[in-house]
């Protein structure tokens, strides 16, 4: 999706952001420096606050001040030039004092022009600029003295805990196959046409080749078969398209897109590796490229267990909905703490500085809301994927919509399948013809990545009759 599209959208920001936006667009002194286009003024949805408090003037000036500070100092801090205080030598390198140290932590592929572009073209709300500042600030240990205090107070960001590998969404996106037609006639005992008006759920499933992949996808498909108005984005973490998966997905009749999106090789041997990140990023890119701004996004791993009720609950997500996930870590659960119908905190046995300590399966996002955030991202940062994704879309506590009876029901379970090595079956290839079923069966198992047949490795294939092992030649010749 083009950035022009994002600008054209009318964002549904939080009340706080909206106040910022309205203040800016109404205050004559500040429109010159921090003006927002009038289209940024939210209509309907969350209720407009026209009554400006005396604080508004001060807040407005602070925003303008932050903007100016970021334009100057952030650029200077990142060595992007424009700072009159740089010495000649420093200017030569485009670096200020802090930047000499900073460059040591800066990854080779860091694209500084993205930040410069962002700051220069900044037209959004303060949440966006705050997020961006924080992400870069933590990644490169950038000191932003004048704005730091305010941002730190708002978000208590611990840069030591969050050495974020932030990069723009630029996954290699390859569509293996796609079928957007819904071939199912009846869903939950009703004809498909009965569901025509429902918002579409974009169910994003990262998956990867291992012995359990096909069984996991088969089980998940049989859950999704019951769900109307669902587009299944199956994003496979591998280098080439698996035709077996295409065939499998086509059989179900659920609208699907099969993407191929391998994890970048440099992360492959990391422990822990960022699992399912490249794939989810590819799916985000797909949504953006196809301008899909209606409906609801849900990240549904291939090994979880989903209650059908979950889908009814998330379908009407206005911005971000949340709900508990069962079988997570030590407590056997992770999810929001709700008081008087509002999410106020989180219960999860691993906090580690995460502002949003939730599981990937514990939230859903409205696509129109997400489209307001062109820097939506899921960095390659194991354990922090959910937190950083939710931060990249400007989430605030008061936006969260609790689901599942005010977060008392468990509608999704973090089940895990025991993984085993590829099976090895030792059998001479001369017996893998059509004289028996074994040729076709073992070929299928090979294509599914479950077992491979070898001539001379592993244990001899045990073939028995009447409780006794028989030579291959007797049964298969
Ligand atoms: C937990 C969370 O539920 C995941 O959403 C999160 O991505 C993961 O931790 C993490 O942070 O690493 P967990 O059960 O521990 O999940 O992880 P997996 O189920 O092994 O992987 C999560 C998803 O990524 C699965 O759908 C899996 O198929 C996929 N994956 C895993 C890959 O695409 N590539 C891999 O190399 C490994
Ligand atoms: Mn899992």
């Amino acid at each position: 999706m083009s950035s022009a599209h994002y600008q054209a959208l009318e964002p549904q920001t939080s009340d706080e952001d909206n106040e910022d936006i309205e203040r800016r667009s109404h205050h004559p002194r500040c429109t010159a420096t921090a003006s927002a286009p009038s289209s940024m003024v939210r209509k309907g949805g969350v209720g407009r606050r026209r009554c400006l408090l005396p604080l508004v003037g001060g807040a407005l000036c602070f925003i303008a001040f932050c903007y100016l500070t970021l334009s100057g100092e952030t650029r200077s801090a990142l060595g992007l030039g424009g700072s009159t205080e740089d010495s000649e030598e420093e200017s030569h390198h485009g670096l200020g004092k802090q930047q000499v140290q900073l460059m040591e932590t800066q990854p080779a592929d860091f694209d500084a022009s993205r930040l410069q572009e962002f700051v220069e073209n900044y037209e959004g709300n303060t949440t966006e600029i705050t997020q961006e500042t924080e992400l870069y600030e933590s990644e490169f240990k950038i000191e932003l003295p004048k704005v730091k205090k305010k941002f730190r107070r708002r978000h208590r960001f611990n840069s030591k805990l969050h050495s974020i590998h932030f990069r723009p969404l630029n996954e290699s996106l390859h569509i293996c196959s796609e079928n957007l037609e819904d071939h199912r006639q009846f869903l939950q005992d009703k004809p498909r046409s009965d569901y025509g008006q429902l918002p579409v759920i974009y169910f994003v499933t990262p998956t990867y080749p291992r012995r359990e992949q096909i069984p996991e996808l088969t089980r998940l498909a049989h859950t999704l078969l019951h769900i109307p108005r669902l587009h299944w984005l199956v994003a496979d973490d591998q280098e080439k398209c698996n035709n077996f998966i295409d065939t499998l997905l086509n059989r179900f009749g659920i609208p699907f897109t099969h993407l191929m999106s391998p994890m970048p090789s440099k992360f492959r041997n990391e422990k822990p590796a960022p699992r399912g990140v490249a794939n989810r990023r590819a799916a985000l890119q797909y949504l953006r490229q196809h301008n899909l701004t209606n409906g609801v996004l849900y990240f549904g791993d291939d090994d979880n267990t989903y209650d059908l009720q979950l889908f009814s609950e998330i379908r009407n997500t206005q911005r971000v909905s949340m709900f508990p996930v069962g079988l997570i870590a030590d407590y056997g659960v992770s999810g929001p703490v709700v008081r008087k119908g509002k999410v106020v905190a989180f219960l999860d046995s691993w906090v580690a500085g995460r502002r949003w300590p939730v599981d990937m399966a514990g939230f859903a996002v409205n696509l129109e809301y997400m489209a307001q955030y062109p820097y939506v991202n899921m960095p390659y940062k194991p354990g922090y994927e959910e937190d950083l994704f939710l931060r990249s879309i400007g989430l605030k506590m008061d936006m969260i919509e609790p689901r599942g009876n005010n977060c008392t029901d468990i509608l999704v379970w973090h089940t895990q399948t025991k993984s085993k090595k590829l099976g090895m079956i030792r059998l001479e290839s001369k017996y893998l013809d059509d004289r028996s079923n074994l040729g076709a069966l073992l070929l299928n198992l090979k294509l599914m990545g479950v077992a491979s047949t070898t001539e001379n490795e592993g244990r001899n294939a045990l073939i028995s009759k009447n409780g006794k092992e028989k030579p291959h030649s007797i049964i298969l010749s």
Side-chain angles (χ1 to χ4, degrees), residues 6 114 166-172 277-278 280-286 288-289 373-379:
Y6 286 111
R114 292 264 306 182
F166 182 73
R167 38 184 89 220
L169 275 179
N170 59 351
E171 302 311 302
S172 61
V277 176
R280 295 191 193 99
R281 288 164 62 103
L284 288 171
Q285 198 149 312
Y286 176 94
R288 177 187 290 196
Q289 280 177 5
Y373 293 88
Y375 285 79
V376 57
N377 208 306
M378 185 176 289

Side-chain angles (χ1 to χ4, degrees), residues 67-83 94 106 110-123 129 132-133 136 140 142 166 168 375:
Y67 178 76
L68 286 171
T69 309
L70 283 169
S71 315
E73 293 201 8
T74 308
R75 271 187 268 158
S76 122
L78 283 166
L80 301 172
S83 169
Q106 185 167 315
F110 168 62
D111 183 359
S113 61
R114 292 264 306 182
L115 179 59
Q116 184 177 25
E117 190 193 331
F118 177 81
V119 171
E120 283 176 353
N121 298 325
Y122 170 60
E123 291 181 330
I129 205 153
E132 292 299 307
T133 307
Y136 283 97
F140 306 122
I142 295 164
F166 182 73
Y375 285 79

Side-chain angles (χ1 to χ4, degrees), residues 204-210 213 216-217 235-238 261 263 268 272-280 299-304 306 325 328 358-361 378 381-386 414-417:
V204 170
T205 299
T207 186
Y208 70 111
R210 80 279 196 197
Q213 181 176 33
E216 300 284 26
L217 290 173
D236 203 355
D237 174 4
Q238 64 174 311
S261 51
M263 182 189 298
R268 192 62 79 187
R275 282 170 296 173
V277 176
N279 351 21
R280 295 191 193 99
F299 293 114
D301 289 355
D302 58 3
D303 55 344
N304 292 337
Y306 306 92
V325 180
I328 295 278
V358 293
D359 185 70
M360 197 66 78
M378 185 176 289
K381 177 80 180 153
Y384 291 85
E385 295 95 338
E386 299 88 347
H414 185 246
T415 38
Q416 291 180 299
T417 305

Side-chain angles (χ1 to χ4, degrees), residues 95-161:
L95 300 168
K97 269 188 196 138
Q98 297 148 357
Q99 288 66 59
V100 178
Q101 300 162 335
L102 297 172
M103 285 299 282
E104 288 165 15
T105 60
Q106 185 167 315
D109 58 351
F110 168 62
D111 183 359
S113 61
R114 292 264 306 182
L115 179 59
Q116 184 177 25
E117 190 193 331
F118 177 81
V119 171
E120 283 176 353
N121 298 325
Y122 170 60
E123 291 181 330
N125 58 41
T126 48
T127 310
E128 285 170 359
I129 205 153
T130 303
Q131 291 159 21
E132 292 299 307
T133 307
E134 283 184 345
L135 289 167
Y136 283 97
E137 199 181 18
S138 61
E139 174 73 344
F140 306 122
K141 317 280 187 296
I142 295 164
E143 287 296 314
L144 297 170
K146 291 184 183 155
V147 293
K148 194 173 128 188
K149 216 171 171 187
K150 170 75 173 174
F151 289 149
R152 290 257 187 270
R153 195 167 62 239
R154 280 182 70 178
H155 295 306
R156 291 205 183 87
F157 193 80
N158 183 339
S159 61
K160 286 211 177 86
L161 289 168

